Amino acid sequence: MEAQAPFLYYATLYARGTLLPPKKPKAPPVLSLPELGGEVPLTRKRLLPKTRKALAKVLAAHPEGLEVGARLWPRTKEGRLDLARFQLARLSQDPARWEGVYGRFFALGIPQAWEEVAGYLVLEIRPNPQGLLPKPFPLEVMVPKELRPKVAPPGEGLALRVRGRAVSGLLVVEDLEALPPPPARVDEGPTPPQEGSSPPKGV
């Protein structure tokens, strides 16, 4: 599951959960993620068009709910996972498909803030060439003491590729690597309204 070249900005979290139908008319379906401590409301803006169609088919076939594997685009707030702002990148009706990576996250971004004593790192996940992400967003992660000397501080012109686990609502880094930043995107027209960014193949 290691990221491979060409390097692109991304932030992805894998989770096992239960897809639940809407609780009331006009309400969105819900992805229950007990290992992450909450639920992701699957509102329209949290889904790509192809994911939206696949979701409707799954719910039609399994109105009582279904255990699924999910590849998510995570968001954080005040250092912790913000489930209400997650987006669903991909859904698998075969949870065994991603066995071994549930609870793990993968990201590549530009360091924006670094508190070495606390191990608090903010990565800016930027739009990719021809990508769907309309604007950058911050991803807050925690870096253990033994990895802090490897962090490229803001201003050094480097990107950081990180991998780790979601632990008690925090994204805790287990490995990191400094890399040249990916190419900047040059917008040539209106950006699609969907948010999110996909990791390279292999993640």
Side-chain angles (χ1 to χ4, degrees):
M1 304 304 287
E2 183 179 355
Q4 304 292 330
F7 298 129
L8 297 174
Y9 295 104
Y10 58 91
T12 303
L13 173 64
Y14 290 85
R16 184 195 295 267
T18 303
L19 180 62
L20 301 172
K23 296 179 180 179
K24 58 178 76 170
K26 296 186 179 181
V30 168
L31 182 60
S32 175
L33 301 169
E35 293 180 1
L36 298 183
E39 298 180 340
V40 176
L42 299 178
T43 56
R44 187 177 181 85
K45 67 179 181 179
R46 301 291 169 218
L47 304 169
L48 297 178
K50 62 180 181 181
T51 308
R52 199 179 303 141
K53 291 179 182 178
L55 182 65
K57 289 181 181 179
V58 174
L59 286 172
H62 304 276
E64 71 289 348
L66 179 70
E67 184 179 12
V68 294
R71 193 173 78 191
L72 304 156
W73 288 323
R75 297 295 189 270
T76 53
K77 183 178 181 181
E78 297 179 353
R80 306 187 69 82
L81 290 170
D82 186 359
L83 296 185
R85 295 174 59 235
F86 271 30
Q87 292 179 287
L88 179 63
R90 194 154 183 188
L91 193 71
S92 175
Q93 296 183 54
D94 177 16
R97 177 180 182 183
W98 293 317
E99 199 67 58
V101 293
Y102 289 126
R104 296 188 60 80
F105 74 93
F106 305 83
L108 190 149
I110 301 295
Q112 291 297 302
W114 172 229
E115 296 178 14
E116 186 171 0
V117 174
Y120 174 76
L121 174 66
V122 180
L123 294 174
E124 182 179 74
I125 312 299
R126 296 178 176 177
N128 290 309
Q130 300 179 336
L132 295 175
L133 186 68
K135 58 184 179 180
F137 68 90
L139 188 74
E140 301 156 282
V141 301
M142 302 303 297
V143 182
K145 225 175 248 190
E146 64 272 15
L147 293 177
R148 292 174 194 174
K150 296 175 66 176
V151 173
E156 289 196 357
L158 292 172
L160 281 176
R161 182 171 65 186
V162 301
R163 292 171 286 182
R165 289 191 174 278
V167 181
S168 301
L170 302 173
L171 293 178
V172 180
V173 175
E174 295 181 330
D175 186 32
L176 62 84
E177 179 183 5
L179 299 167
R185 183 170 80 182
V186 178
D187 289 321
E188 299 179 350
T191 304
Q194 300 92 352
E195 294 184 13
S197 183
S198 296
K201 291 181 180 179
V203 173

